[in-house]
Amino acid sequence: MSAGQVLGANIRAIREQRGWSLSELARRSSIAKGTLSQLESGSGNPTIETVFSLSNALDVPVSSLVTERTPPDVLLVRARDVEVLSSDAVDLRLMRRMDIGGTVLEIYDQRVRPGARQTTEGHPGKEHVLVTSGHLRVGPPDQPYELGPGDYVCFPGSTPHLYETVEGEVSSVLVLEYPKH
């Protein structure tokens, strides 16, 4: 199943579990009904913002929308096999979702393009960022943290925050931590 088909099937399943019409999800997510219809059919091409809007509207972690659940004992994920969620500044590859007790962890390979800025109004949970190369500005827009290779920060995802490079491309590991619902 392609990433678009997985996303579409998950959106539809969660929406139907809640007893919501497509119109209701459109209202709650501020995404056009036609766009949602395309996504549910597996033919849409969502941005990071769209996926996060759906995550917020449905009150589920992003990984609940973009992954098929399989319970292997060993899991090998090749970056080339994972679809990229892109925005103007950031490319994300969901490498792993883990349900641990009452917590969901999502591990992303994150690349931030030079000269661009990604902002979000916030989403549930915490963000953990570990920079592996480059220099990244991340966190609250008015007082972001500046990170270099090997630096780590954790902050609430529920508040507005930004991602931007200081210079050159940045590679990092992003871990989103959510309470399990």
Side-chain angles (χ1 to χ4, degrees), residues 52 55-56 59-60 122-127 156-158 176-179 181:
F52 273 105
S55 170
N56 283 333
D59 196 28
V60 296
H123 52 82
K126 294 180 184 176
E127 293 202 17
S158 58
L176 297 181
E177 175 186 352
Y178 300 96
H181 294 291

Side-chain angles (χ1 to χ4, degrees), residues 32-109:
K33 187 176 171 182
T35 301
L36 290 173
S37 180
Q38 284 184 326
L39 291 174
E40 283 194 1
S41 72
S43 62
N45 188 18
T47 63
I48 290 172
E49 292 85 0
T50 299
V51 174
F52 273 105
S53 290
L54 288 166
S55 170
N56 283 333
L58 293 166
D59 196 28
V60 296
V62 168
S63 58
S64 294
L65 298 175
V66 298
T67 58
E68 275 186 283
R69 301 248 167 87
T70 56
D73 290 334
V74 174
L75 179 64
L76 173 63
V77 179
R78 302 267 186 214
R80 68 178 175 262
D81 297 333
V82 179
E83 270 202 49
V84 177
L85 288 173
S86 292
S87 70
D88 291 336
V90 177
D91 294 324
L92 290 176
R93 284 185 184 83
L94 177 62
M95 305 306 283
R96 177 82 162 134
R97 173 196 164 119
M98 295 179 285
D99 296 293
I100 302 170
T103 302
V104 174
L105 296 177
E106 299 171 348
I107 302 171
Y108 293 89
D109 171 35

Side-chain angles (χ1 to χ4, degrees), residues 8-9 14 20 44 56 60 70 98 114 118 124 129 136 145 157 167 169 175 177:
I14 295 166
W20 294 356
N56 283 333
V60 296
T70 56
M98 295 179 285
Q118 174 71 40
V129 180
L136 179 67
Y145 308 100
E167 70 177 57
E169 184 179 60
V175 176
E177 175 186 352

